[in-house]
Amino acid sequence: MELRYLESFEAVVRCGGFTKAAADLHLAQPAISAHVKRLEKELGVTLLNRSRTVTLSAAGEQFLPYARLALANLEEGKRLMQSFRSVSAGHVRVAITPLTGNFDVAGLLGRFRARYPQVTISLSTGLIAELLGKLEAGQVDVVIGPAGAADERQGWRRTEITSERLVLITPLAGRGHVNTLADVAHEPFVCLPSDSGLRHLLNEAFGVIGVEPRVDFETHSPASIREMVAANLGCAIIAQSIVEKQGTAVRVHHIPGLPPHPPISVMSEEEPAPPTARFLEELEATIQEHAR
């Protein structure tokens, strides 16, 4: 069934005749008549009653809504494809963890906004497991945070932004030299909540030496962990990028045996909506620029 047959049939009904339909579609009247006849032949029914006026047959009345729905869906598809080429409006829901490495999220948002001023952005934060759950539930469009291949789901795509590694931090008033995790195995530790990725890494590291970590203090962010260690409340393992930033002073120990830290990645659906697709393009261009 050819699309032009449906267009001619719908135009005859909408315009009230073959002559007006021909003018509406900028075609010759015989072409319109031929299209409708071929459609009727293909369907095996008469769609129009032809006399002094053109009216729908019983079959035509039943078929018309389906024809119009098909044409409407096609137009919507055309508009969607146009939006992929030129995004003039829309909304992107971005969720980030407190840990984004040294990636400049604010700078990315500024560049995207300058290029697509009509696209609005909402920004939320949380721990990675919570945010990936929101992505899976369709509550956010983009997640930026520590995520590796094990976090991927079918229908998602993941782009690595930057690598991370774990280090041990201790208070300035604490040990000057720490060679292994066993040296501080019985010290109090500061960490994120028990369902966080960092807590799992801490448990994994202590599991290697056969000791359960003594987590005396839980807090909400890696930056807060650093502050609490600086306040002499305990030790911590933490992403290196956190201690590379300006902040309260702590001792940093690069010790062997710590588990690998997931890379900082961006996660989204494989086929996102046009505004999100443009946001991801801007993000990937930023990654490539920083890699040079």
Side-chain angles (χ1 to χ4, degrees):
M1 183 180 297
E2 295 190 28
L3 176 64
R4 56 184 179 160
Y5 298 170
L6 294 178
E7 290 175 332
S8 293
F9 167 65
E10 193 280 332
V12 170
V13 176
R14 175 168 45 82
C15 298
F18 288 88
T19 301
K20 291 181 179 179
D24 183 73
L25 297 179
H26 306 288
L27 295 173
Q29 182 175 332
I32 298 293
S33 298
H35 291 169
V36 175
K37 286 180 180 178
R38 288 170 186 165
L39 179 60
E40 290 175 323
K41 182 178 181 181
E42 187 169 339
L43 294 173
V45 297
T46 299
L47 297 172
L48 299 174
N49 297 317
R50 298 162 176 84
S51 58
R52 288 186 178 180
T53 60
V54 178
T55 59
L56 283 167
S57 67
E61 289 181 356
Q62 293 294 316
F63 182 70
L64 179 62
Y66 293 98
R68 285 179 168 165
L69 179 61
L71 293 171
N73 285 340
L74 179 64
E75 285 303 311
E76 179 62 25
K78 288 179 179 178
R79 284 193 293 271
L80 181 61
M81 294 304 100
Q82 176 63 30
S83 69
F84 269 98
R85 295 193 297 271
S86 177
V87 175
S88 59
H91 185 70
V92 183
R93 300 166 298 175
V94 180
I96 65 173
T97 66
L99 176 64
T100 56
N102 293 316
F103 186 68
D104 183 9
V105 176
L108 166 67
L109 296 176
R111 288 187 293 275
F112 178 77
R113 180 68 172 176
R115 180 166 295 184
Y116 302 102
Q118 302 304 314
V119 177
T120 57
I121 299 173
S122 61
L123 191 63
S124 60
T125 189
L127 299 180
I128 189 64
E130 173 194 359
L131 300 186
L132 293 179
K134 289 184 175 181
L135 178 62
E136 193 165 23
Q139 297 172 347
V140 298
D141 303 310
V142 177
V143 172
I144 300 175
D151 298 302
E152 296 179 14
R153 303 287 187 277
Q154 186 174 3
W156 288 6
R157 71 174 182 177
R158 181 179 68 90
T159 302
E160 186 172 324
I161 297 175
T162 185
S163 60
E164 268 289 6
R165 61 172 295 184
L166 288 173
V167 295
L168 172 72
I169 59 173
T170 59
L172 290 180
R175 289 171 173 251
H177 298 284
V178 177
N179 296 317
T180 67
L181 189 61
D183 293 338
V184 291
H186 300 290
E187 298 288 333
F189 269 71
V190 184
C191 199
L192 298 179
S194 59
D195 60 345
S196 68
L198 185 62
R199 179 66 74 87
H200 294 317
L201 292 173
L202 179 67
N203 292 338
E204 182 181 343
F206 270 82
V208 171
I209 60 174
V211 178
E212 185 173 342
R214 175 186 159 194
V215 180
D216 285 3
F217 299 95
E218 287 186 354
T219 187
H220 62 282
S221 71
S224 176
I225 290 176
R226 175 178 173 175
E227 292 171 356
M228 295 180 75
V229 171
N232 204 29
L233 294 176
C235 309
I237 61 169
I238 198 170
Q240 182 171 317
S241 64
I242 296 297
V243 296
E244 289 176 344
K245 298 175 182 178
Q246 290 187 343
T248 51
V250 294
R251 293 186 187 274
V252 181
H253 309 274
H254 299 275
I255 60 174
L258 295 181
H261 194 290
I264 306 302
S265 302
V266 55
M267 307 279 279
S268 67
E269 292 184 349
E270 281 186 356
E271 298 182 1
T276 303
R278 299 292 84 77
F279 180 84
L280 294 170
E281 286 178 1
E282 190 70 29
L283 185 149
E284 289 170 4
T286 302
I287 296 172
Q288 293 174 4
E289 181 179 334
H290 288 177
R292 296 192 187 107

